[in-house]
């Protein structure tokens, strides 16, 4: 009733209260605790700090405290610091802003929704002073004790706007978002020392490096893990006055999500669709769709041709010439990759068809085959997961196969004779005859150490042994879980895996779940875990890559998944590592066993990434290809 009348009876126009204006602004600028951390750390950096210390509690909702050794705020300016649209960073030209902040919005916004206190002392101030603001209510400036610099403390974030609180994702998610924000900024300021600590996290310490290229790379390694530099390639490219620098991972060092892609425009951290798309484009030929490069890219360009101030909280940018920037990123990364001896495989279904058509031999000879091989060699050597055979058209049927050269390079050649004798011999052998009637037929040969060629009564079947086995292991793992824990095997020596601290922490938190899968894992000092047992089902596996992928998987889905979904994902990630790698020679019995297992396992026609595990060419179609029909 009262509500109704409030809407129907028109009220006179009035100015919103200061607190309300600030709360509306807070809705834009302060989305979650991590946004507060971003604003406060940026203020510290704008003040020229060499050290920034961040402490949080309760995912930042209970407490965020940022202490710096920067310029400080003079006592008489403390009131202005928390007043709207008051800034010491004014410039005449909005396109030429050198500081991270300039709107004068952050502190009043925070003060309108939380309990904020600022204690500060300048270089020539005799003592420190302090001011407080709680839900918009300002307290008087008081003397305080402090060293030079500023401490900003935010307690009970969103206590004044309870509706906001409901949108928070829980302590763990918020505290990890804070970690991401700090890392993102820290990469752009290698000469500044950062620490992030609190009851809700394990401590992140980033000692000061310097501004040289080596210093930058050292900071990047502090953030991304000590093994990143060895597994990355330097990028340095220039086009029409736009400069691109940084590092990208080699394809085999890819991750299961894109969280580890950092980009900066004129020194500011950005998250931008155009840049993300360009990175994907640059790696399209060397990475399967479900893998992501690890990247740190710095774009430097005339501030007049980019707008980094589109939105105060969102870190997107607007380039005047998006095509130029995209071209620079794609070109710069591709060139660096190819200089590093890793050439892109050619792609496309057209290549696949060409391979089946007469003249395939010369196609395979002429161009990409060599480059493709070198990539494959690198891929094999690295033992990376998830190679997509559908992206390498020459692979199933290239030179040796086209020439009928079974058995070359020591590949399996149990069917020693030429193909045309197979029918005759199968006819003499009842067992083999029976196999011809099975859906996937009788195995005839293994080619290129990964493809099983099989024959049914009316078709030719080619099985990708790696993809097929991955699916089978996945199903077996899921089944084993239903009954009891998965059997594990002890490693002779525990394997130590270096990771970003948060990844190590996340894995440790899930160690019980992982133990159910037969993976025994524990913390091993800061930024590392020790693996003592692996699931027997996986056989000999690349523990490093497995653990990294599991960390990604958990980071991606930690808070949203049900337990069952999480178990399934872990099973899928593990299966990917337990599969018979391409490159393993199989005996005839092993090949036939694999085919029979596939027939018996529902869903085995596609691998865990949705790609086919086998293809079938009907005899009729083969005959058509040869012009026999
Ligand atoms: P902006 O950063 O856009 O100027 P803020 O609301 O974040 O707006 O801060 C307001 C002002 O308070 C800044 O312009 C600066 O003068 C002062 N200030 C805030 N934090 C610090 C700090 N850590 N050290 C020194 N001065 C600070
Ligand atoms: Mg600011």
């Amino acid at each position: 009733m009262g509500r109704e009348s409030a809407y129907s009876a028109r009220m006179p126009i009035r100015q919103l209260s200061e607190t309300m204006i600030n709360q509306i602004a807070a809705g834009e600028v302060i989305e979650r605790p991590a946004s507060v951390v971003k604003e406060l750390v940026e203020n510290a950096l704008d003040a020229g700090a060499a050290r920034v210390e961040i402490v949080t509690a309760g995912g930042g909702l209970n407490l965020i405290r940022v202490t710096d050794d920067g310029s400080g705020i003079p006592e008489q300016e403390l009131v202005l610091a928390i007043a709207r649209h008051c800034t010491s960073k004014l410039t005449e030209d909005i396109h030429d802003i050198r500081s991270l902040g300039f709107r004068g919005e952050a502190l009043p916004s925070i003060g309108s929704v939380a309990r904020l206190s600022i204690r500060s002392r300048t270089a020539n101030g005799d003592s420190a002073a302090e001011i407080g603001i709680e839900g918009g209510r300002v307290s008087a400036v008081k003397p305080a004790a402090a060293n030079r610099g500023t401490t900003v403390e935010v307690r009970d974030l969103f206590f004044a706007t309870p509706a906001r609180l409901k949108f928070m994702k829980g302590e763990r998610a918020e505290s990890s978002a804070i970690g991401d924000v700090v890392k993102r900024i820290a990469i752009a300021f290698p000469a500044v020392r950062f620490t992030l600590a609190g009851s809700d996290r394990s401590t992140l310490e980033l000692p000061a490096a310097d501004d040289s290229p080596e210093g930058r790379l050292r900071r990047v390694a502090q953030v991304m893990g000590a093994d990143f530099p060895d597994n990355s390639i330097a990028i340095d490219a220039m086009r029409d006055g736009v400069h691109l620098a940084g590092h990208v991972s080699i394809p085999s060092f890819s991750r299961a999500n894109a969280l580890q892609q950092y980009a900066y425009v004129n020194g500011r951290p950005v998250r931008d669709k155009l840049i993300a798309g360009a990175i994907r484009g640059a790696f399209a030929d060397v990475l399967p769709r479900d893998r992501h490069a690890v990247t740190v890219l710095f774009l430097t360009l005339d501030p007049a041709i980019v707008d980094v101030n589109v939105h105060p909280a969102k870190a997107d940018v607007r380039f005047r010439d998006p095509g130029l920037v995209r071209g620079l990123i794609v070109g710069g990364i591709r060139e660096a990759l190819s200089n590093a001896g890793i050439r892109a495989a050619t792609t496309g279904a057209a290549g696949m068809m060409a391979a089946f058509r007469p003249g395939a031999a010369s196609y395979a000879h002429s161009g990409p085959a060599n480059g493709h091989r070198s990539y494959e060699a690198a891929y094999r050597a690295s033992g990376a997961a998830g190679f997509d055979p559908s992206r390498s058209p020459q692979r199933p049927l290239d030179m040796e196969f086209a020439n009928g050269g079974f058995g070359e390079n020591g590949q399996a050649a149990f069917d020693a004779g030429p193909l045309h004798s197979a029918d005759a011999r199968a006819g003499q052998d009842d067992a083999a005859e029976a196999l011809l009637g099975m859906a996937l037929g009788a195995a005839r040969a293994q080619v290129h150490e990964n493809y099983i060629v099989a024959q049914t009564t009316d078709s030719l079947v080619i099985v990708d042994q790696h993809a097929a086995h991955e699916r089978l292991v996945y199903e077996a793992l899921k089944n084993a879980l239903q009954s009891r824990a998965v059997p594990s095997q002890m490693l002779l020596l525990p394997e130590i895996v270096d990771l970003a601290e948060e990844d190590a922490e996340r894995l440790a938190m899930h160690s019980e779940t992982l133990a159910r899968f037969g993976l025994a894992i524990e913390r091993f000092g800061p930024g590392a875990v020790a693996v003592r047992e692996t699931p027997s089902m996986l056989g000999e596996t690349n523990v490093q890559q497995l653990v990294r992928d599991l960390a990604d998987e958990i980071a991606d889905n930690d808070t949203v998944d049900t337990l069952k979904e999480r178990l399934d994902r872990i099973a899928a990630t593990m299966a990917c590592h337990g599969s018979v790698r391409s490159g393993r020679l199989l005996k005839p019995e092993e090949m036939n066993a694999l085919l029979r297992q596939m027939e018996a396992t529902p869903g085995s026609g596609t691998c865990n990434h949705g790609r086919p595990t086998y293809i079938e060419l009907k005899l009729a179609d083969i005959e058509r290809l040869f012009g026999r029909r």
Side-chain angles (χ1 to χ4, degrees), residues 39 42-43 46 89 101-102 106:
E39 294 294 336
E42 287 184 350
N43 279 348
D46 281 344
K89 306 166 192 175
F102 64 92

Side-chain angles (χ1 to χ4, degrees), residues 19 31 56 78 94 116 187 265 319 341 345 375 462 546 611 622:
T19 298
E31 259 178 311
T56 65
L78 279 174
I94 196 139
L116 167 73
I187 285 177
V265 173
F319 297 103
Y375 166 62
I462 303 172
L546 170 65
R611 299 185 291 267
I622 296 174

Side-chain angles (χ1 to χ4, degrees), residues 512-530:
E512 258 180 57
T513 310
L514 296 172
R516 286 182 64 187
F517 283 95
L519 187 75
I521 211 168
E522 58 192 63
R523 287 306 303 256
F524 192 79
V529 296

Side-chain angles (χ1 to χ4, degrees), residues 39-40 43-44 46-47 68 71-73 81 86-89 101-108 150 152:
E39 294 294 336
L40 299 186
N43 279 348
D46 281 344
D68 67 61
S71 63
I73 307 170
C86 291
T87 177
S88 58
K89 306 166 192 175
F102 64 92
R103 289 182 165 84
E105 271 186 331
L107 293 181
T150 305
V152 179

